């Protein structure tokens, strides 16, 4: 494996071509060699479409394949922890879609197993927050940390998009669905990136599905950072706020606004407003090069972590912190945690 990574897909998911298959074609160090799905015919069709040479009947069979070094896990949220742990036991590296688990307790179990597997065998587990590996995320953090905004006072993040198909798995409580899980995990993650720490949740308000009041279709949460800054995250899969993907950091000397931090390769804009003398404002706008895509950056980061001992920005330990905030949001809103038995 010193020359490259052979990756297997656990599930013929719609996100897989963008997140893995297309970026893998841009590098000589990654080959997508196998796919498995619960429906073999679906897996075979997916393999033919995307040129994947091996199809396995079931996820366990793929994990047993000695020709697979790593797995990509794009399964529903509620299955992430189970199959990440099984992959580690099978000796595979793991790139798992966000959120890494259904709740903080699961994240702690995965983080402990990942730490042990890394120490024992050098196995890597990375949560697939692809935006975090794009240069735009690094630039956002650099501006806040540089002190150009002055003392940080407030952070906001919004990830809202319309998903009116209420039978979609992202609305399924048994599979750890909900707007906060699917889109809100991004908003919380970028709020932590800008805030420089993990905040407490001071309040939350939600809109729920009529057919299942455990499922949030929209959520707003108020935050308090240890350093004194406040924050707010908004997320929605169905509300009046149809589409909004942006982040904001307000300091004593300026403001940072970023549009579309999640998919910067499609379009993004970074706007920095800082004070000058006599109350005049300086406005600066930046756009980073759109390519490589955030998914390509993520795959390169994963490859570097596996083959070159590179850093893991979205580690299981980071997932523990993120899932802890998501748990607090659900508790504050009066909703049950995902993946937790309601009967205790």
């Amino acid at each position: 494996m010193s020359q490259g990574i052979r990756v297997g897909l656990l599930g013929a998911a719609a996100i897989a071509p963008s997140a893995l298959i297309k970026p893998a074609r841009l590098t000589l160090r990654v080959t997508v060699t196998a796919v498995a799905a619960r429906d073999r015919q679906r897996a075979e069709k997916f393999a033919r479409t995307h040129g994947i040479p091996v199809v396995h009947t079931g996820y366990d069979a793929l994990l047993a394949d000695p020709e697979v070094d790593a797995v990509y896990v794009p399964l529903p949220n509620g299955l992430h922890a189970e199959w990440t742990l099984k992959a580690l036991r099978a000796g595979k590296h793991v790139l798992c879609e966000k959120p890494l688990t259904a709740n903080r307790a699961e994240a702690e179990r995965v983080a402990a197993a990942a730490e042990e597997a890394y120490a024992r065998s050098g196995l890597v587990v990375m949560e697939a927050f692809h935006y975090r590996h794009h240069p735009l995320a690094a630039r956002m953090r650099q501006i806040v940390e540089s002190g150009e905004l002055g003392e940080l006072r407030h952070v906001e993040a919004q990830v809202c998009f319309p998903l009116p198909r209420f039978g979609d798995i992202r609305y399924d409580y048994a599979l750890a669905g909900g707007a906060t899980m699917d889109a809100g995990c991004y908003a919380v993650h970028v709020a932590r990136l800008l805030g420089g720490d993990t905040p407490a949740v001071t309040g939350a308000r939600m809109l729920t599905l009529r057919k299942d009041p455990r499922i949030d279709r929209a959520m707003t949460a108020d935050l308090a950072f240890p350093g004194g800054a406040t924050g707010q995250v908004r997320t929605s899969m169905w509300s009046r706020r149809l589409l909004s993907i942006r982040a904001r950091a307000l300091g004593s000397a300026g403001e940072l606004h970023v549009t579309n931090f999640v998919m910067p390769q499609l379009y993004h804009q970074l706007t920095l407003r800082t004070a000058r003398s006599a109350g005049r404002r300086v406005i600066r706008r930046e756009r980073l090069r759109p390519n490589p895509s955030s998914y390509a950056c993520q795959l390169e980061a994963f490859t570097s972590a596996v083959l070159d001992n590179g850093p893991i920005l979205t580690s299981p330990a980071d997932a523990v912190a993120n899932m802890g905030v998501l748990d607090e949001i659900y508790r504050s809103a009066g909703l049950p945690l995902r993946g937790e038995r309601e009967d205790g």
Side-chain angles (χ1 to χ4, degrees):
M1 205 178 65
S2 60
Q3 300 301 316
I5 308 172
R6 300 165 296 182
V7 181
L9 268 164
L10 291 185
I15 188 63
S18 297
L20 176 65
I21 296 171
K22 292 177 182 178
R25 293 171 183 159
L26 302 177
T27 175
L28 297 176
R29 301 210 294 173
V30 177
T31 306
V32 181
T33 58
V35 62
R38 297 186 186 278
D39 181 343
R40 183 177 176 89
Q41 288 186 339
R42 184 183 177 204
E44 288 174 345
K45 181 180 179 181
F46 188 90
R48 287 193 301 271
T49 300
H50 299 289
I52 301 173
V54 178
V55 175
H56 287 289
T57 302
Y59 307 144
D60 288 306
L62 187 145
L63 294 182
D65 187 346
E67 300 300 313
V68 171
D69 306 309
V71 294
Y72 171 57
V73 183
L75 299 171
N77 299 338
L79 301 177
H80 289 178
E82 174 188 354
W83 288 100
T84 295
L85 292 171
K86 286 183 176 180
L88 288 175
R89 289 195 288 269
K92 313 298 185 186
H93 303 278
V94 181
L95 176 62
C96 180
E97 267 304 327
K98 56 78 202 167
L100 184 65
T101 62
N103 54 54
R104 181 183 174 120
E106 282 190 358
E108 289 173 342
R109 290 195 292 273
V110 170
E115 183 178 1
E116 180 183 351
Y118 184 81
R120 182 182 66 251
S121 308
L123 294 178
V124 166
V125 177
M126 179 181 287
E127 185 176 19
F129 271 117
H130 58 100
Y131 92 93
R132 181 62 183 88
H133 304 281
H134 192 275
L136 179 63
R139 179 63 179 137
M140 292 164 65
R141 184 162 185 166
Q142 179 187 41
I143 289 171
V144 175
E145 289 185 336
S146 72
E148 192 170 1
L149 302 181
E151 181 183 356
L152 186 65
R153 292 177 174 172
H154 187 71
V155 169
E156 294 178 0
Q158 296 185 8
V159 180
C160 304
F161 60 84
L163 183 65
R165 303 191 308 273
F166 301 120
D168 191 278
I169 61 172
R170 285 170 281 185
Y171 286 116
D172 189 333
Y173 179 79
L175 295 175
T180 304
M181 294 292 290
D182 191 77
C185 64
Y186 278 114
V188 168
H189 202 271
V190 80
R192 292 176 50 238
L193 177 74
L194 294 174
D197 210 332
T198 299
V201 176
T202 58
R205 303 164 297 285
M206 78 293 189
L207 298 174
T208 59
L209 286 188
R210 185 174 300 176
K211 70 174 186 178
D212 188 347
R214 299 172 299 177
I215 290 292
D216 52 311
R217 57 184 175 88
M219 183 77 74
T220 299
D222 300 316
L223 310 174
F225 288 87
T230 59
Q232 186 179 82
V233 292
R234 290 178 180 266
T235 185
S236 167
M237 295 195 300
W238 189 244
S239 71
R240 293 181 180 179
R241 193 179 297 269
L242 288 180
L243 184 63
S244 179
I245 302 176
R246 63 185 184 88
R248 173 176 177 251
L250 172 64
S252 58
E255 297 179 38
L256 170 68
H257 295 256
V258 180
T259 301
N260 197 17
F261 65 90
V262 173
M263 294 283 282
Q265 59 267 29
L266 299 182
Y267 169 82
H268 71 272
Q269 183 167 283
L270 184 154
T271 303
L272 185 63
R273 297 183 176 92
T274 55
R276 198 192 275 175
S277 61
R280 296 177 60 190
R281 304 282 281 177
V282 177
I283 300 177
R284 188 170 78 242
R285 293 183 174 87
E286 300 180 11
R287 287 189 188 173
L288 283 70
R289 295 176 60 183
N291 293 314
S293 74
S294 54
Y295 291 117
C297 293
Q298 173 178 264
L299 187 58
E300 178 56 38
F302 181 66
T303 304
S304 177
V306 171
L307 298 179
D308 309 324
N309 199 32
I312 306 173
L313 297 180
T314 53
S315 66
D318 181 70
V320 170
N322 216 61
M323 293 310 304
V325 178
L326 297 185
D327 281 5
E328 280 193 53
I329 290 173
Y330 277 123
R331 288 193 183 102
S332 185
L335 295 180
L337 302 188
R338 315 295 97 163
E340 184 177 76
R341 290 179 56 184
E342 293 179 86
D343 61 5

